[in-house]
Structure formats: structure tokens, C-alpha cells
Amino acid sequence: VLCHVRFPLMKSSELVDSVQTLDIMVEDVLCRQYLLEAFNYQILPFRQHEMQSPRTAVRSDVLHSCVAVLDNFVYLVGGQQLQYRSGEGAVDASYRYDPHLNQWLRIQAMQESRIQFQLNVLRGMVYATGGRNRSGSLASVEK
């Protein structure tokens, strides 16, 4: 029996209301073990760093490589989209996390797609410097 729980992505209420109600989750020993592991992960957020495993890994086709903090907001900018053909897969996407609302907001994208670049804060602004993309090395800065 194949049982797979993606518990870092699920809220505790989803585990209770949706996953736990499935017969296989109760009947299959491995599924029940995964469900218990998922519950523990969700109810003990300050111990999640101790519970890391392949089941807790972030599952995304976009790997963001640069992070900066400004005015208590977290900025996640650029990165690389996994591609199975050719190309670097650099992205221009930018996001801002608001810890008060526990929400990510997509903000204006960069003018250039970038991977392997620096993201810094200076005088109340976020700057993306250098890096590379499908065109090659970048000798530019964006604010």
C-alpha cells in the first residue's frame, strides 16, 4: 500500500478533517504511522527542526536562493526553476512575507531573471546585485 502524507503543507485541521477520515489512514499501519508523525510535526512547531526528514522537505519546482529582511518583512527574490531540458531556469519572481498576517504576497518581479546573486538591504531598500541567467553573467543592480 502506498501512503504519502505531505504534512509540512497541511494544517492540523486538514489532517483531522480530510486525511484522518480516510479508511486507509486508520487501517494501514504505515499510513497511521505517517499520520501520527504529521500530527506531531504540526502541534510541535518549535521542535520541527528536530523532525526533519524527506517527508518534511519543501516540495516546489522553484528554488528561491536569495532572502532579505526589511522592516520585519521577509523578501524572497529570484532563484531557479527546475528544468529537465536545457537552460538555467532563472526566475524573476519576488515575494514578501508578512509575519503578522502569516501571508506571502507576490510583489513586482525583477527586470532580469537571476540566480546566484546577492540580495541586500541598504537605507530602507532591497537590492539585487549580479548573478546570472540564461544570457550569462549579469553586471547589473536592481532596486
Side-chain angles (χ1 to χ4, degrees):
V1 173
L2 179 61
C3 177
H4 187 71
V5 177
R6 295 180 174 199
F7 47 90
L9 302 177
M10 291 189 152
K11 297 177 182 177
S12 300
S13 59
E14 291 174 308
L15 289 170
V16 171
D17 298 337
S18 301
V19 179
Q20 182 177 287
T21 60
L22 300 173
D23 290 340
I24 191 168
M25 296 306 294
V26 178
E27 296 167 1
D28 184 80
V29 174
L30 186 58
C31 289
R32 195 169 49 242
Q33 182 180 4
Y34 286 158
L35 184 61
L36 179 60
E37 186 178 350
F39 278 129
N40 287 337
Y41 192 89
Q42 291 299 329
I43 64 172
L44 301 170
F46 296 105
R47 292 182 54 196
Q48 289 176 351
H49 67 282
E50 299 170 359
M51 298 183 234
Q52 296 304 303
S53 74
R55 288 180 297 284
T56 62
V58 175
R59 293 163 187 88
S60 174
D61 61 353
V62 177
L63 302 175
H64 292 279
S65 57
C66 287
V67 177
V69 177
L70 173 63
D71 297 331
N72 294 321
F73 292 102
V74 177
Y75 290 83
L76 199 60
V77 180
Q80 183 173 7
Q81 183 173 10
L82 298 178
Q83 292 187 348
Y84 299 101
R85 296 186 182 159
S86 63
E88 301 269 346
V91 296
D92 60 2
S94 300
Y95 300 89
R96 184 184 76 190
Y97 177 71
D98 182 340
H100 302 293
L101 300 175
N102 192 26
Q103 267 184 344
W104 284 98
L105 173 67
R106 188 167 187 151
I107 58 177
Q108 183 175 345
M110 291 187 293
Q111 294 176 10
E112 298 251 25
S113 298
R114 295 174 187 264
I115 60 171
Q116 299 176 345
F117 63 101
Q118 292 291 316
L119 191 67
N120 296 301
V121 173
L122 179 65
R123 295 187 181 132
M125 301 299 244
V126 178
Y127 293 87
T129 308
R132 62 187 179 97
N133 61 21
R134 183 173 274 170
S135 301
S137 294
L138 299 168
S140 62
V141 177
E142 295 187 48
K143 175 172 81 168

